Amino acid sequence: MFVGFPTWGMKLPPPMKSFLKQYDLRGKTVIPFNTNAGYGVGSSFETVKELCANSKVLEGFTMKGGIERDGVYLVIKDEKAKEAEVKVKQWLQKIKIIK
Ligand SMILES: Cc1cc2nc3c(=O)[nH]c(=O)nc-3n(C[C@H](O)[C@H](O)[C@H](O)COP(=O)(O)O)c2cc1C
């Protein structure tokens, strides 16, 4: 299961924490991915691991997205979309989801 979320306050957003606590993902493979405003994933990937202790949590992917605070939205387009495609593909190959 792919689980995507933004970084909020250098943490996993509370709605995502509730979501992961609510569902029994025992035995499932959890694959986290993230966008942020340039400060990285913070503790979010670690928290996913903690909340999915009985799941196999694979290496996550992150990239800089929009900057909501500054009204910068939907930035993954044009050149950035091409960059994202290449990076996502490399990541999916690394974690052996695609060849
Ligand atoms: C409440 C809130 C807190 C945020 N905290 C952070 C943060 O700690 N670090 C960071 O890099 N970005 C932070 N952001 C920015 C979002 O992570 C960023 O705008 C979002 O990932 C962009 O995703 P999108 O391009 O898919 O819309 C925050 C945004 C909100 C609304």
Side-chain angles (χ1 to χ4, degrees), residues 5-11 13-14 34-42 63-70 72-76 80:
F5 45 83
T7 304
W8 277 6
M10 298 318 286
K11 292 181 176 164
N34 165 278
T35 55
N36 60 80
Y39 301 97
V41 299
M63 93 177 259
K64 188 178 170 191
I67 310 172
E68 280 141 22
R69 199 186 46 192
D70 299 342
V72 181
Y73 304 120
L74 301 172
V75 300
I76 312 255
K80 185 100 175 163

Side-chain angles (χ1 to χ4, degrees), residues 46-84:
E46 279 309 310
T47 304
V48 170
K49 272 189 210 152
E50 284 164 23
L51 295 176
C52 301
N54 299 311
S55 309
K56 184 175 180 187
V57 181
L58 301 189
E59 181 186 324
F61 175 79
T62 186
M63 93 177 259
K64 188 178 170 191
I67 310 172
E68 280 141 22
R69 199 186 46 192
D70 299 342
V72 181
Y73 304 120
L74 301 172
V75 300
I76 312 255
K77 60 183 180 193
D78 305 326
E79 279 307 306
K80 185 100 175 163
K82 282 185 203 152
E83 181 196 332

